Amino acid sequence: MSSGATGLIIILAVLIIFVLVILVKSVKIIPQARAGVVERLGKYQRTLNPGLTILIPFVDRLLPLLDLREQVVSFPPQQVITEDSLVVSIDTVVYFQVTDPRAATYEIANYIHAVEQLTTTTLRNVVGGLNLEEALTSRDRINGQLRGVLDEATGRWGIRVSRVELKAIEPPLSIQDSMEKQMRAERERRATILTAEGTKQAQILNAEGRRQAAILAAEGDAKADILRADGESQAIAKVFEAIHKGNPDQKLLAYQYLQTLPKLAEGTSNKLWIIPSELGEALKGVGSALGNYVPDQFSANGTANGTSNGTEPAASAGTRPATAPDAPAFAPTIADSPDAAR
């Protein structure tokens, strides 16, 4: 190959490389959720949106792409002095988003570092006006104040702070020990109160149960007594009705009176028997009644029991049997009563 042909090939290769470089520098693809700032001859020219873009080689310059998604930055713990002169360590997390790529490029050199420093100073200002107890119990208040101050300050940087969270607030170790003791005492106090309230409620329920049980028992006894009295009254009424219908004489009443007497001795705890003063009169009535009693079999058959075997003499009709004079020996006594053995 001659020297002329070799030179031509080199020139063509250089041209091809030059064209490739031109294409690489002029054709740009912007990804989704990214933004690019284009400078033309060192001056802001435009902001590129996602998609294909053509630039003028060696005239336009594309700056590093900016992420338009919401970003989370966790800053290292910051030592903050509270109003009551206690040093606490606070961890913060900031959620922010680039809303204006041009401002984020030209208004601040490093917006992440700027947000961190602004967060630190704002946190010290907010927590410095609170004592330790307020700082521990007012996280929402602190978060709201931080977000308001940061959002206002970073607006001109093309950044929007959407949320600020306090990850942890750690007081000194001595304060932590005191807080743990205080929390333990508070838990014990609450447990004691809850136990006492439970015991009180249990006693109230038990007393209420006993009261209800006593009321129900009393009501049951009252109804039972009423029913028992009604039954006894009905029984007495029927007995009196039967007695009046039967037209009893004095002798029958005396006999019933004697049958009732053994019931006075009923009961294992009875130590004293009370005998009515009318007992003698009743015995007299019964004795006289039995003394005048003549069995029908003597008057009808003229023979007494046991005459069939021929051992006893036969009595004539219309005369009293030989045992008639000993009538008290055959007359029923209290011992013969079925209730006398009680």
Side-chain angles (χ1 to χ4, degrees):
M1 183 178 295
S2 62
S3 58
T6 304
L8 181 59
I9 292 173
I10 295 173
I11 293 172
L12 290 176
V14 172
L15 289 176
I16 292 173
I17 295 173
F18 180 76
V19 170
L20 292 176
V21 172
I22 295 299
L23 290 176
V24 170
K25 285 187 170 292
S26 61
V27 178
K28 295 294 182 181
I29 297 176
I30 306 301
Q32 184 66 32
R34 299 289 193 280
V37 175
V38 177
E39 291 181 346
R40 179 166 293 173
L41 299 177
K43 184 179 179 182
Y44 172 78
Q45 200 271 335
R46 68 181 188 275
T47 299
L48 300 181
N49 295 320
L52 182 62
T53 302
I54 303 299
L55 300 177
I56 300 175
F58 306 107
V59 177
D60 294 339
R61 185 171 70 97
L62 180 62
L63 299 182
L65 300 180
L66 298 177
D67 193 346
L68 300 181
R69 296 173 297 182
E70 187 175 63
Q71 303 179 48
V72 182
V73 179
S74 177
F75 301 130
Q78 301 294 326
Q79 302 295 325
V80 181
I81 300 176
T82 61
E83 188 181 25
D84 47 358
S85 301
L86 294 174
V87 179
V88 295
S89 178
I90 301 178
D91 293 348
T92 55
V93 177
V94 178
Y95 297 80
F96 69 95
Q97 185 177 17
V98 176
T99 58
D100 187 355
R102 180 179 180 278
T105 302
Y106 296 107
E107 296 296 336
I108 187 71
N110 187 344
Y111 57 83
I112 295 179
H113 181 70
V115 170
E116 178 183 357
Q117 295 302 318
L118 182 59
T119 302
T120 301
T121 55
T122 306
L123 183 64
R124 288 177 178 175
N125 291 334
V126 173
V127 177
L130 305 173
N131 56 35
L132 179 60
E133 184 176 359
E134 292 175 346
L136 294 175
T137 58
S138 305
R139 289 196 175 194
D140 293 339
R141 174 184 171 187
I142 297 174
N143 292 339
Q145 291 183 0
L146 284 175
R147 188 178 63 83
V149 173
L150 291 176
D151 192 31
E152 181 181 358
T154 57
R156 60 187 181 87
W157 298 343
I159 297 172
R160 182 178 63 86
V161 176
S162 58
R163 190 168 52 183
V164 178
E165 296 290 342
L166 300 181
K167 291 175 60 178
I169 300 177
E170 296 181 358
L173 295 178
S174 59
I175 300 299
Q176 290 183 13
D177 295 338
S178 300
M179 293 174 62
E180 290 179 358
K181 292 179 181 178
Q182 182 180 0
M183 293 173 62
R184 190 181 304 110
E186 180 66 18
R187 287 194 295 269
E188 292 177 354
R189 185 183 68 84
R190 292 181 180 178
T192 303
I193 292 174
L194 292 176
T195 303
E197 290 180 352
T199 304
K200 174 185 174 183
Q201 191 68 21
Q203 292 178 353
I204 291 173
L205 293 177
N206 290 331
E208 182 67 19
R210 290 194 296 270
R211 186 178 73 86
Q212 293 291 338
I215 292 173
L216 294 176
E219 292 178 355
D221 292 341
K223 290 183 180 179
D225 292 341
I226 293 173
L227 294 176
R228 192 178 299 109
D230 292 341
E232 291 178 355
S233 65
Q234 293 178 5
I236 292 172
K238 289 184 178 180
V239 169
F240 270 87
E241 183 180 358
I243 291 174
H244 286 294
K245 287 182 179 180
N247 192 17
D249 54 359
Q250 186 63 29
K251 299 172 184 177
L252 178 60
L253 294 177
Y255 179 72
Q256 293 294 331
Y257 181 75
L258 292 177
Q259 283 187 326
T260 307
L261 285 177
K263 295 182 179 178
L264 296 174
E266 290 181 352
T268 57
S269 60
N270 289 343
K271 303 299 183 183
L272 179 63
W273 292 6
I274 299 175
I275 300 175
S277 59
E278 298 83 0
L279 178 61
E281 297 297 334
L283 292 174
K284 290 180 180 178
V286 172
S288 60
L290 297 178
N292 297 328
Y293 176 74
V294 178
D296 296 338
Q297 55 186 350
F298 286 103
S299 59
N301 301 328
T303 59
N305 293 334
T307 54
S308 58
N309 54 12
T311 58
E312 291 295 333
S316 60
T319 61
R320 297 180 61 184
T323 58
D326 299 330
F330 294 94
T333 63
I334 295 175
D336 297 330
S337 175
D339 298 331
R342 298 180 183 176

